[in-house]
Amino acid sequence: MVLVASPVLAQSSLKSRRDYIVGDHPVGVVTTDYDGDGLLDLITINQQTAGRGDIALVKGFGDGTFRKVSSFITGILPTSMVYSDVNNDGIPDIVVSSLTSQDVSVHLGNGTGGFGARLSTLVVGHRTAWRSATGTAISNRTSPS
């Protein structure tokens, strides 16, 4: 089977690049419908916003455009993030591992697009716990020694 693609058709279906400011030094992104409106949104993890790490919630409008609606502080120098229901209440939460603060933080989801204050557990010196605490990491950074 031979597939032929016309460069003209391929180019006409792509939209122009758009950059969105989400925070300083974003290192991971999750695409999900965090606010329950049926449209894909973005959640980014940013390493150096205001000297700490933060998480940005970026609302999607279903037409390829996005707008940052809020952000909140997480651990210092976050390296990976997972979006999953960790407390078994049926609502996804955000789990973050952070290099400098050497902890794993959980931000519990409220089901309407918001997330609670940071709940953290130190994982100092536990290389295995560091890697496994957040499951499959988005970032390719390594854990502390």
Side-chain angles (χ1 to χ4, degrees):
M1 177 181 283
V2 177
L3 296 176
V4 178
S6 167
V8 173
L9 292 176
Q11 290 177 1
S12 66
S13 66
L14 297 177
K15 291 188 176 186
S16 299
R17 172 183 160 164
R18 293 186 186 182
D19 294 332
Y20 297 93
I21 296 173
V22 295
D24 292 336
H25 197 130
V27 294
V29 64
V30 171
T31 57
T32 186
D33 178 17
Y34 70 79
D35 58 5
D37 65 359
L39 303 172
L40 280 179
D41 306 304
L42 306 174
I43 302 173
T44 68
I45 184 167
N46 311 298
Q47 283 190 332
Q48 300 171 359
T49 303
R52 295 191 53 102
D54 78 335
I55 296 168
L57 301 178
V58 185
K59 180 169 181 46
F61 295 99
D63 60 358
T65 63
F66 297 89
R67 180 175 46 88
K68 179 179 171 182
V69 293
S70 66
S71 63
F72 48 93
I73 298 297
T74 192
I76 301 171
L77 198 63
T79 55
S80 63
M81 170 180 58
V82 173
Y83 183 68
S84 181
D85 180 9
V86 297
N87 62 347
N88 227 7
D89 65 355
I91 301 169
D93 311 300
I94 298 174
V95 182
V96 177
S97 65
S98 298
L99 182 64
T100 303
S101 54
Q102 296 186 15
D103 63 3
V104 172
S105 302
V106 176
H107 299 270
L108 297 175
N110 65 12
T112 61
F115 295 88
R118 174 179 165 216
L119 307 169
S120 65
T121 300
L122 289 175
V123 288
V124 178
H126 300 288
R127 181 177 290 268
T128 302
W130 183 270
R131 287 189 178 153
S132 64
T134 58
T136 305
I138 294 171
S139 173
N140 62 2
R141 290 191 170 262
T142 58
S143 62
S145 301

